[in-house]
């Protein structure tokens, strides 16, 4: 080193001309590779995780210096701003705000709203803001590669953390790199992002650094061991050591606790500081990273000026730039904050609040006043409640929840406090922290007997309990309270009882569900105001399931009442029409409901409605459309973090994958769904068994199919379900028993629907009657309406003809079936057709190797969305990717399917064979 001075960074890590950072060669190489990949269009992210003082900030600074040709965006987490939604994201993205006009209008509006800048016009859910963040950063990177550096990520507000992690997990073909630096604490969940664990320096590097602080080699070696090579400790601790220990005359004291030592160092400095400087330092610590203009105003209130900080700068405690004041290390700020004591901290908070008078600083003012408040105070509580409402409009659900919860703690009136706790519980639910929401809801119920408040909270508690696997919450006491509420609020009581319907349905107990629904409709019918349709829809559903003749009429009577209700009513009624076999009525309800949900960015409604759209599509034989809806449903359900919604979406996806012939993926999703819920959820278990049964039917494993189908049939019988259309079990069982040569079992089966019943009749017909029975069945199967039913009938016809030694005739039917199956994407059934064709003595036609089953799940999703007519930007928004990543996957699709353009792909996927036998 030649005795040259080597710069030391804020956290103690020293620069070394040869290595970049002393003792960090491997880490610097890994970060350099990340930056190089991003510059070349292979985006990525990294979480640098380690204890305080280990050198995380130094690595981020190193990245910034090495990011030649990249646009560097930075944000630093500070504890006080953790309650201000999207504050860290706004800090990071501020240089890109002029690009908002280039984003899709809905996404630009979402970011304007969450950043509280001009033009934001509506409430935003968190997922919409996350997608918009991904689009903004990747769009900016099209002009210049982007490097995002997020320091102290464990302190950034949760909305910003989730938005940036959402983006980091989806970088692939984008010129974006994101590096997070965080302590190894629970506050920052970087799952899904590669990590770089940062430990202390290696012994030789640690000794070198300690010696630069004036220690001889023997003491430096001892200190390096005692501090586990922590760079900040190696730089800061020597100045706190007594002279005899610095020179090794006495051994070092053990243990050497870094935070305590730095606090001691700060207090030692503070003892020599004037009182004015100390007061100014406390304001800086309380305000986190104040701008100079704000700090000047605050200090003026306290009778001070900015020059009061000069001595703290000279002491090396803080840095002052042209824009802001920062502590040399977060531990310095924490030490000042701790040493100040509660009285001085409250005074500083009040001084800061007194200058935050504008509407743009209302949230920060409320939180500073709350920090200065020691007991109930309705004025401050109301300000925090207002902050919660603003956070709700901006999509900052965690900030909303925290503001409502803190507001409740400061609220003196028990009923008002309960109302604010209910607001916090709802917000925590939307943030995915449902167990905490339950605790707050139960606390709220313990505070109030007001009927309106209890009617708001009790159904939410029941819903959350059911979503997490508890089917006991709606008990006699719950129902008694609902009846008590009915005296003054019949509609509220009806909504309370409606939560009980979910419990009956989850258990497949339609017998118990019917009278319950009748009472709900009775209560809702006496309530004034706009009719509430859900009670009547649920009664219609129970009637249809129970085989009541009035069920279909009741369902049709509900159609008009769904207009204007964006609460899932239309999706719920659409499912009833699916059970009735009226797919046109179901489609007329579902498609507008989903369009409204997309327009409003209502992810909860989408998570509920999309599995029902997938069900509609598979019943119509449109398996690709069903797959597209089901995969989108699973993606959204994963984000909203409610187990029951996710299990329902996975069950639907597993069924569609089974029908497509993708058994491996289907079985994985069945297992995933079963891990989410206990076996008492009979409705979900029945759907999972139906998915497994249909995999067996597709593969002609008839005994396995019978086992699962009979389980469902028994569960239906126990619960009083007689409707054949809920899950089409009877027709599948009849076909399985026909193939197993057990026709006697057919006598106990209900009607399985006209097509399935007729197909089974063909399977059981005598050979001379085959050309009479099967053509009659095929006449009922319009290939444009029920393509799978027609294809399955053609397959059965061909199988019977082959077994009757009529091989040429069999091939005609089997080839027609094969074309239909392949057009629908039903590769499992297509494989069976090929086996049958081979068995006729003529080889099956060469398999088209350009089918979508050659694609990965994400490639298939994108290809199907292209066929739907969506642009890359629209697809990116739909499946939570960047447009560049969609473009990358689309390139793989073209290569694998040997296509050259979007129109070719659309034509390829929309082919439908019409060359069938007369």
């Amino acid at each position: 080193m030649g005795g040259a001075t080597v710069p030391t960074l804020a956290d103690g890590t020293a620069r070394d001309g040869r290595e970049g950072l002393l003792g960090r060669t491997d880490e610097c190489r890994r970060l350099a590779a990340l930056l190089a990949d991003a510059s070349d269009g292979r985006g990525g992210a990294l979480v640098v995780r380690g204890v305080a003082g280990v050198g995380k900030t130094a690595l981020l600074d190193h990245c910034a210096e090495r990011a030649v040709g990249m646009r560097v965006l930075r944000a630093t987490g500070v504890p006080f701003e953790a309650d201000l939604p999207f504050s860290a994201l706004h800090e990071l993205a501020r240089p890109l705000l002029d690009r908002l006009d280039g984003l899709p209008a809905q996404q630009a509006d979402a970011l304007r709203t969450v950043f509280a800048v001009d033009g934001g016009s509506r409430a935003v859910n968190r997922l919409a803001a996350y997608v918009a963040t991904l689009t903004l950063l990747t769009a900016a990177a099209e002009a210049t590669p982007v490097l995002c550096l997020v320091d102290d990520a464990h302190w950034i507000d949760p909305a910003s953390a989730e938005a940036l992690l959402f983006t980091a997990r989806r970088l692939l073909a984008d010129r974006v790199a994101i590096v997070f630096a965080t302590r190894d604490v629970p506050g920052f969940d970087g799952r899904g992002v590669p990590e770089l664990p940062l430990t202390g320096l290696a012994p030789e590097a640690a000794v070198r650094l300690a010696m630069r602080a004036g220690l001889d080699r023997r003491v430096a070696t001892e200190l390096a061991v005692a501090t586990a090579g922590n760079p900040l400790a190696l730089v800061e601790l020597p100045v706190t050591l007594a002279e005899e220990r610095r020179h090794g005359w006495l051994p070092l004291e053990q243990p050497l606790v870094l935070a305590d030592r730095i606090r001691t160092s700060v207090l030692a400095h503070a003892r020599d500081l004037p009182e004015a400087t100390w007061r100014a330092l406390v304001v800086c610590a309380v305000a986190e990273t104040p701008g100079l203009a704000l700090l000047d105003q605050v200090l003026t209130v306290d009778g001070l000026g900015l020059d009061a900080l000069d001595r703290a700068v000279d002491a090396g405690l803080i840095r002052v730039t042209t824009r802001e004041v920062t502590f040399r290390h977060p531990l310095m700020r924490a030490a000042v904050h701790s040493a100040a004591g509660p009285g001085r901290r409250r005074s500083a908070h009040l001084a800061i609040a007194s200058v935050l008078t504008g509407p743009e600083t209302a949230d920060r003012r409320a939180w500073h006043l709350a920090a200065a408040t020691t007991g109930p105070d309705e004025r401050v509580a109301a300000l925090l409640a207002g902050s919660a409402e603003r956070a709700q409009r901006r999509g900052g659900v965690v900030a909303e929840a925290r503001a409502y919860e803190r507001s409740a703690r400061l609220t003196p009136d028990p009923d008002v406090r309960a109302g604010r706790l209910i607001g916090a519980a709802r917000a925590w639910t939307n943030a995915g922290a449902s167990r905490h929401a339950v605790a707050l809801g139960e606390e709220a119920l313990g505070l109030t007997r007001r009927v309106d408040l209890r009617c708001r909270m009790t159904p939410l508690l029941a819903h959350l309990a059911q979503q997490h696997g508890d089917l006991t919450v709606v008990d006699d006491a719950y129902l008694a309270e609902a009846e008590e509420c009915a005296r003054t609020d019949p509609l509220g009581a009806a909504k309370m009882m409606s939560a009980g319907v979910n419990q009956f349905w989850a258990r497949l107990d339609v017998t118990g569900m019917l009278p319950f629904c009748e009472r709900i409709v009775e209560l809702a019918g006496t309530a004034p105001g706009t009719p509430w349709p859900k009670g009547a829809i649920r009664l219609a559903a129970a009637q249809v399931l129970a085989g009541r003749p009035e069920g279909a009429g009741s369902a049709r009577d509900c159609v008009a009442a769904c207009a204007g209700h964006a609460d899932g009513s239309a999706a719920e009624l659409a499912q009833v029409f699916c059970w009735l076999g009226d797919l046109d009525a179901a489609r007329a309800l579902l498609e507008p409901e989903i369009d409204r949900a997309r327009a409003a960015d209502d992810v909860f409604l989408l998570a509920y409605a999309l599995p029902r759209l997938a069900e509609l599509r598979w019943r119509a034989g449109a398996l690709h459309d069903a797959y597209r809806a089901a995969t989108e449903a699973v993606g959204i359900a994963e984000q909203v973090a409610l187990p029951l919604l996710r299990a329902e979406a996975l069950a639907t996806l597993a069924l569609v994958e089974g029908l497509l012939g993708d058994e491996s993926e289907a079985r994985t999703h069945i297992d995933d769904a079963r891990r989410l819920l206990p076996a008492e959820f009979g409705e979900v278990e029945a759907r999972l068994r139906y998915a497994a049964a249909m995999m067996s039917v597709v593969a002609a494993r008839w005994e396995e199919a019978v086992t699962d189908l009979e389980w469902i049939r028994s569960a239906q019988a126990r619960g009083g379900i007689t409707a054949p259309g809920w899950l089409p079990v009877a027709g599948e069982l009849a076909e399985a028993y026909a193939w197993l040569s057990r026709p006697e079992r057919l006598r106990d089966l209900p009607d399985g629907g006209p097509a399935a019943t007729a197909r089974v009749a063909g399977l059981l017909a005598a050979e001379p009657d085959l050309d009479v029975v099967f053509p009659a069945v095929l006449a009922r199967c319009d290939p444009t309406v029920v393509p799978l039913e027609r294809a399955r009938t053609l397959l059965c016809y061909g199988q019977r003809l082959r077994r009757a030694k009529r091989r040429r005739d069999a091939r005609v039917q089997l080839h027609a079936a094969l074309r239909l199956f392949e057009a629908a994407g039903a590769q499992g059934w297509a494989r069976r057709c090929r086996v049958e064709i081979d068995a006729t003595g003529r080889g099956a036609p060469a398999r088209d190797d350009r089918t979508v089953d050659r694609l990965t799940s994400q490639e298939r999703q994108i290809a199907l969305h292209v066929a739907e007519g969506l642009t890359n930007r629209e697809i990116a928004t739909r499946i939570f990717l960047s447009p560049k990543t969609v473009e990358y996957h689309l390139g793989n699709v073209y290569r694998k399917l040997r296509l050259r353009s979007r129109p070719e792909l659309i034509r390829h996927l929309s082919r439908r064979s019409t060359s069938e036998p007369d």
Side-chain angles (χ1 to χ4, degrees):
M1 302 292 293
T5 300
V6 178
T8 301
L9 304 181
D11 52 11
T13 304
R15 297 205 178 283
D16 183 74
R18 293 167 300 174
E19 299 176 345
L21 290 178
L22 178 63
R24 297 298 187 199
T25 303
D26 291 342
E27 291 86 350
C28 290
R29 284 174 181 163
R30 185 165 176 186
L31 289 166
L34 177 72
L35 270 58
D37 284 345
S39 296
D40 290 340
R42 298 185 301 276
L46 192 64
V47 175
V48 180
R49 191 180 293 274
V51 299
V54 80
K56 303 182 294 295
T57 301
L59 281 174
L60 263 59
D61 291 341
H62 177 79
C63 275
E65 292 176 1
R66 297 301 190 274
V68 179
M70 301 183 79
R71 185 168 197 169
V72 180
L73 307 174
R74 299 195 73 152
T76 300
V78 289
F80 193 79
E81 292 188 357
D83 293 307
L84 302 176
F86 296 103
S87 55
L89 180 63
H90 183 247
E91 178 188 356
L92 181 126
R94 189 186 295 117
L96 304 181
L97 295 184
D98 59 347
R99 294 178 172 271
L100 290 182
D101 289 338
L103 269 58
Q106 208 167 354
Q107 294 184 18
D109 195 40
L111 287 180
R112 287 192 181 98
T113 301
V114 302
F115 291 156
V117 297
D118 292 342
S121 61
R122 61 194 177 94
V124 177
N125 73 64
R126 57 196 172 104
L127 195 54
Y130 302 168
V131 175
T133 301
L134 172 65
T135 305
L136 177 66
L137 292 177
T138 56
E142 292 181 15
T144 305
V146 170
L147 171 62
C148 301
L149 300 174
V150 184
D151 204 359
D152 289 328
H154 51 283
W155 280 333
I156 68 174
D157 64 280
S160 295
E162 290 174 7
L164 290 168
L165 285 168
F166 179 95
T167 298
R169 294 179 185 118
R170 287 160 177 80
L171 295 174
L172 179 62
D174 306 287
R175 299 199 300 170
V176 177
I178 303 178
V179 183
F180 302 93
T182 180
R183 292 187 194 170
D184 195 8
V185 294
F188 184 77
D189 183 3
R191 280 179 297 181
V193 179
E195 291 211 354
L196 174 60
L198 201 59
T199 57
L201 296 174
E204 181 57 32
V207 169
R208 288 168 60 192
L209 185 59
M211 290 177 68
R212 288 173 189 155
L215 302 181
D216 66 23
R217 175 169 284 276
R218 184 172 60 82
V219 179
T221 301
E222 189 178 350
L223 185 63
V225 172
T227 60
N230 184 289
L232 182 64
L234 293 168
V235 170
E236 294 292 336
L237 292 186
V239 300
T240 72
L241 298 177
E243 182 74 11
E244 57 270 22
R245 289 189 167 87
R246 285 176 55 83
H247 292 288
W249 303 331
L250 290 177
L252 295 176
E253 293 176 318
Q254 298 289 348
L256 287 171
V257 180
L258 177 60
D260 291 346
R261 285 285 177 166
I262 289 179
R263 187 172 186 272
T264 300
S265 175
V266 169
L267 290 176
H269 285 300
R271 278 195 295 270
D272 299 329
L273 294 176
E275 173 64 17
T277 300
W278 180 244
R279 283 157 50 200
L281 265 180
V282 174
V283 171
C284 293
V286 164
E288 307 294 349
T289 52
L292 285 185
L294 172 66
L295 186 58
D296 190 26
Q297 294 179 62
V298 176
L299 293 178
T300 300
V301 170
D302 208 13
L304 303 173
L306 289 174
D307 57 353
L309 292 170
D310 291 347
R311 292 283 297 277
V313 174
D314 294 340
L317 295 173
I318 60 173
R319 296 189 182 91
V320 178
T321 68
T322 56
R323 291 180 52 200
E324 62 187 12
V325 175
T326 57
F327 282 88
R328 190 153 58 87
H329 191 276
L331 288 177
M332 299 279 189
R333 189 209 67 82
V336 171
H337 193 277
S338 172
R344 274 182 167 161
R345 290 196 297 269
R346 284 196 297 271
S347 296
H349 281 297
L350 287 172
I352 294 169
S354 70
V355 304
L356 297 174
T357 56
E360 73 282 359
T361 60
D363 294 330
R364 297 181 68 190
R365 171 180 168 79
W367 279 105
H368 278 292
L369 288 173
T373 303
T374 58
D377 186 324
E378 177 54 31
R379 182 181 70 90
V380 177
L383 290 174
L384 281 172
S387 179
E389 292 167 5
R390 288 187 292 275
Q392 181 185 45
R393 290 193 292 272
R394 295 200 298 271
V397 288
V398 174
E400 176 194 357
R402 284 178 168 170
Y404 268 133
E405 187 171 351
R406 178 65 173 141
S407 173
R409 302 299 174 216
L410 297 177
T411 302
D413 182 272
D415 287 334
V416 179
R417 191 188 318 155
R420 287 168 178 164
L421 284 172
I422 291 169
R426 288 188 175 278
W428 281 122
T429 298
N430 291 337
S434 51
R435 299 200 184 277
H436 185 56
V438 169
L440 294 181
E442 291 174 345
E443 181 183 349
L445 292 181
L447 288 170
T448 185
R449 298 306 305 170
R450 267 180 46 182
V451 170
D452 60 326
L453 293 176
R454 296 185 71 84
C455 282
R456 280 170 56 197
M457 192 65 241
T458 306
L460 177 60
L461 287 177
H463 168 73
L464 291 175
Q466 292 158 1
Q467 282 287 336
H468 286 277
D470 184 356
L471 294 182
T472 64
V473 65
V474 180
D475 54 14
D476 291 342
Y478 181 101
L479 298 179
E481 179 165 7
E483 292 292 354
E484 182 69 22
C485 289
R487 297 180 181 181
T488 55
D489 185 2
L491 181 58
K495 291 179 178 180
M496 278 184 67
M497 296 187 75
S498 184
V501 174
N502 298 333
Q503 194 162 296
F504 281 111
W505 179 230
R507 291 173 170 159
L508 288 181
D509 182 4
V510 173
T511 303
M513 184 173 159
L514 258 172
F516 214 77
C517 291
E518 289 167 351
R519 177 59 176 152
I520 291 169
V521 170
E522 179 185 352
L523 288 171
T526 64
T530 305
W532 177 63
K534 276 212 169 183
I537 291 169
R538 293 183 164 196
L539 176 58
Q543 290 170 338
V544 168
L545 290 166
R548 295 277 188 91
E550 66 271 26
S554 297
R556 291 188 174 85
D557 290 342
C558 293
V559 172
C562 288
H565 287 271
D567 59 356
S569 295
E572 196 163 345
L573 183 58
Q575 191 168 37
V576 177
F577 281 113
C578 283
W579 302 339
L580 290 168
D582 190 345
L583 301 187
D584 289 336
R587 185 179 300 107
L589 286 162
L590 257 179
E591 290 179 347
E593 176 100 313
I594 289 172
D595 288 343
R596 287 191 295 269
R598 293 196 194 284
D601 286 322
D602 190 337
V603 291
F604 286 94
L605 181 52
L606 283 172
Y608 181 77
L610 283 168
R612 284 144 185 85
L613 178 63
E615 179 177 347
L616 167 65
R617 299 302 193 209
W618 70 252
R619 286 177 184 268
L623 299 185
H624 289 320
D625 292 344
Y627 180 84
R628 186 171 59 230
T631 49
E632 186 182 358
V634 169
I636 294 174
E638 288 172 351
Q639 297 296 323
V640 300
L642 289 175
L644 180 55
L645 276 178
R646 189 175 174 209
E648 289 174 341
L650 285 167
T652 303
L653 178 58
L655 172 57
V656 174
E657 288 168 333
L659 295 173
L660 286 166
D662 192 349
E663 277 205 35
S664 175
E665 287 295 310
R667 291 196 184 281
T668 296
H669 290 137
I670 289 172
D671 292 341
D672 290 345
R674 283 194 169 124
R675 281 191 288 269
L676 291 169
L677 294 172
E680 291 84 355
F681 278 74
E683 195 269 344
V684 173
E685 178 62 22
R687 290 186 176 275
L688 294 172
R689 285 183 177 264
Y690 189 72
M694 291 310 298
M695 282 190 281
S696 299
V697 168
V698 169
R701 298 191 299 267
W702 302 112
E703 289 286 4
E704 292 179 27
V706 164
T707 299
D708 285 317
L709 292 169
E710 285 289 8
W711 186 97
I712 299 169
R713 186 176 169 224
S714 297
Q716 288 177 312
R718 289 192 302 272
I721 300 175
T722 63
W726 171 56
L727 287 178
V729 168
E732 303 299 344
L733 264 175
E735 183 171 344
Y737 282 131
W739 281 112
L740 291 170
S741 301
R742 293 158 66 182
E744 72 282 357
R745 298 301 302 269
L746 272 59
R747 290 192 295 270
D748 300 331
L749 294 177
D751 180 19
T757 300
R759 184 165 64 246
V760 170
L763 287 173
L764 297 175
E767 287 184 1
D769 299 329
L770 293 179
D771 293 330
V772 175
V773 176
F774 273 106
V777 179
L778 290 168
R780 301 182 184 183
C781 300
D782 184 337
T784 64
V785 179
V786 283
L788 282 184
E789 289 296 333
R790 184 174 182 85
R792 291 179 66 180
T793 302
L794 287 165
L795 173 58
C796 291
Y797 191 9
Q799 289 173 301
R800 285 299 314 274
L801 289 171
R802 185 181 70 79
R803 285 157 179 73
K805 310 300 185 186
R806 295 170 56 187
R807 295 181 177 181
R808 179 178 297 177
D809 295 335
R811 281 196 291 272
V812 173
Q813 310 304 325
L814 293 169
H815 278 281
L818 179 61
R819 286 192 292 271
L820 277 177
F821 282 133
E822 290 194 332
Q827 295 301 327
W829 271 307
R831 286 191 289 270
R832 279 179 58 193
C833 275
R834 292 179 178 281
V835 171
E836 290 289 336
I837 293 170
D838 288 342
T840 65
R842 295 276 184 91
R847 180 177 180 272
D848 185 355
D849 63 354
R850 298 193 302 161
T851 56
V852 293
D853 62 314
R854 297 190 66 240
L855 307 177
T856 67
S857 175
Q858 201 149 72
E859 290 166 355
R860 180 187 291 191
Q861 267 186 284
I862 290 169
L864 295 175
H865 281 305
V866 168
E868 191 184 2
L870 300 185
T871 65
N872 284 5
R873 271 195 167 189
E874 291 167 335
I875 296 169
T877 300
R878 188 76 60 89
I879 63 175
F880 313 139
L881 295 176
S882 72
K884 275 287 186 183
T885 298
V886 170
E887 182 182 321
Y888 170 83
H889 285 303
L890 196 52
N892 288 339
V893 171
Y894 292 151
R895 179 175 53 79
K896 290 180 180 180
L897 302 186
R898 300 197 302 281
L899 301 169
R900 291 175 295 178
S901 67
R902 206 177 197 93
E904 276 192 22
L905 176 60
I906 293 172
R907 287 194 298 272
H908 180 72
L909 295 180
S910 62
R911 289 181 312 168
R912 289 293 183 268
S913 174
T914 57
S915 54
E916 295 183 55
D918 295 331

